[in-house]
Amino acid sequence: MPLARIAALGHHQPKHVMTNDDLSVLVDTTDEWIRQRTGIATRHIAHAESVTDLAAQAAAKALASSGLAPEDVGMVVVATCSAIDRCPSIAAQVAGRLGIPAAVAFDLNNGCAGFTTALATADHAVRAGAAGAALVIGAEKMSDLTDWTDRSTCVLLGDGAGAAVITGSGGLDGIGPVVWGSDPTRGHAVRLSGDWHPLFRQEGREVYRWATTELVGLARLTCERAGVTPAELGAVVTHQANLRIIDALVGKLGATNAVIARDVVDSGNTSAASIPLALSKLAELGEVEPGAPVLLFSFGGGLSWAGQVVACP
């Protein structure tokens, strides 16, 4: 099969920034309390912008950066768990706004693991010849799902979107094999359930133990299947759930030479948008050399996980 790669990236965040001090007006919390437990300092909150607005902005930047025309895109996938619209899908709406004709377009909900799941799906489609190029977007408006009276969860969440254009790689191995799965016996640990309007709920201690123990081996397996060691990674971009989780997971992984994405400090937990947001920012700032191997590894509601090693565009 032909190989695929990430050809371009783009991201978008709402202009409004909510600080920890802002949150202290809403709930019994402080900047110190939030930083100590989560590492988060600020998060971006969308007011008038919808999930579709966020996704379209990030996608437009990625498409422009790729140099492709809209008609070159044969697949549009949006990873999201916060979309209110069910049909037409957010992906179909984004395709319409960008003038992408006749592409297969669908939304994918795998919680916080959504973007890397969608990336693997698009990678497989391009390799199989089902799409010449694909646009993969992670977009969330988590503020719509936030219980602003619950200090254990409202301090975590933010809004934003990131996008990647996937193309044939010209023979270079740009996206490694995916490692993905789920543990549905722990589905209660992160959930959005009930009648619309649902609210985000989380069993924080259970998620922390799971993420910092069982996921390390899966992250190592992802590197192994890509033919690289953790020490050879140029960057590690995990789901930006919580700074304590990120640092604990990466510390056990042994990625001693890698740039570690810590966008959670400025953006909070943006669920399926967190990995493309963080990756796009690292690439835009030139913090990772083009072509360097980057581990993408996401985890969350389900409980689910998905990861792959990609060449930095």
Side-chain angles (χ1 to χ4, degrees), residues 232-292:
E232 294 173 313
L233 293 170
V236 176
V237 184
T238 68
H239 167 47
Q240 302 292 291
N242 176 311
L243 191 58
R244 291 174 61 201
I245 290 177
I246 294 169
D247 287 345
L249 198 161
V250 171
K252 294 178 181 179
L253 179 62
T256 53
N257 301 309
V259 174
I260 309 303
R262 294 184 173 91
D263 185 53
V264 67
V265 175
D266 301 315
S267 301
N269 180 343
T270 56
S271 188
S274 75
I275 281 186
L277 258 175
L279 179 62
S280 180
K281 289 181 181 180
L282 288 181
E284 184 177 74
L285 294 172
E287 295 188 24
V288 186
E289 292 186 10

Side-chain angles (χ1 to χ4, degrees), residues 6-309:
I6 297 178
L9 297 161
H11 66 273
H12 174 75
Q13 291 177 283
K15 291 182 179 180
H16 178 67
V17 175
M18 177 179 283
T19 67
N20 292 341
D21 288 334
D22 293 332
L23 278 168
S24 70
V25 178
L26 301 177
V27 291
D28 180 17
T29 191
T30 65
D31 177 67
E32 180 182 14
W33 189 92
I34 297 170
R35 287 177 185 264
Q36 286 181 347
R37 288 160 178 79
T38 71
I40 298 170
T42 61
R43 69 283 297 147
H44 293 249
I45 302 298
H47 293 305
E49 290 177 288
S50 66
V51 176
T52 303
D53 295 330
L54 299 172
Q57 290 271 15
K61 292 175 183 176
L63 186 59
S65 180
S66 74
L68 296 179
E71 54 267 26
D72 296 326
V73 178
M75 171 181 279
V76 181
V77 188
V78 173
T80 184
C81 65
S82 58
I84 296 174
D85 294 341
R86 293 292 185 265
C87 186
S89 65
I90 304 300
Q93 294 180 57
V94 169
R97 291 193 187 188
L98 300 187
I100 298 172
V104 59
F106 58 93
D107 295 346
L108 185 154
N109 179 4
N110 197 23
C112 302
F115 177 80
T116 46
T117 303
L119 178 61
T121 303
D123 171 44
H124 298 162
V126 171
R127 288 173 183 257
L135 183 56
V136 183
I137 308 155
E140 301 283 18
K141 189 175 180 182
M142 297 304 291
S143 60
D144 273 350
L145 311 176
T146 301
D147 181 351
W148 295 104
T149 67
D150 178 9
R151 76 169 185 170
S152 68
T153 58
C154 73
V155 301
L156 299 172
L157 305 174
D159 303 334
V165 174
I166 314 304
T167 65
S169 70
L172 299 176
D173 196 1
I175 301 176
V178 66
V179 172
W180 52 8
S182 66
D183 182 357
T185 64
R186 290 173 167 162
H188 64 278
V190 181
R191 57 195 183 276
L192 287 167
S193 58
D195 295 333
W196 197 264
H197 195 290
L199 296 175
F200 177 86
R201 302 298 185 199
Q202 177 175 260
E203 306 301 326
R205 291 182 180 179
E206 182 174 355
V207 173
Y208 180 85
R209 288 194 297 269
W210 172 72
T212 57
T213 55
E214 299 183 34
L215 295 185
V216 177
L218 292 167
R220 289 198 184 109
L221 178 61
T222 304
C223 294
E224 180 183 330
R225 289 193 178 173
V228 301
T229 66
E232 294 173 313
L233 293 170
V236 176
V237 184
T238 68
H239 167 47
Q240 302 292 291
N242 176 311
L243 191 58
R244 291 174 61 201
I245 290 177
I246 294 169
D247 287 345
L249 198 161
V250 171
K252 294 178 181 179
L253 179 62
T256 53
N257 301 309
V259 174
I260 309 303
R262 294 184 173 91
D263 185 53
V264 67
V265 175
D266 301 315
S267 301
N269 180 343
T270 56
S271 188
S274 75
I275 281 186
L277 258 175
L279 179 62
S280 180
K281 289 181 181 180
L282 288 181
E284 184 177 74
L285 294 172
E287 295 188 24
V288 186
E289 292 186 10
V294 179
L295 172 64
L296 308 181
F297 195 83
S298 61
F299 49 88
L303 290 175
S304 57
W305 61 88
Q308 57 272 103
V309 175

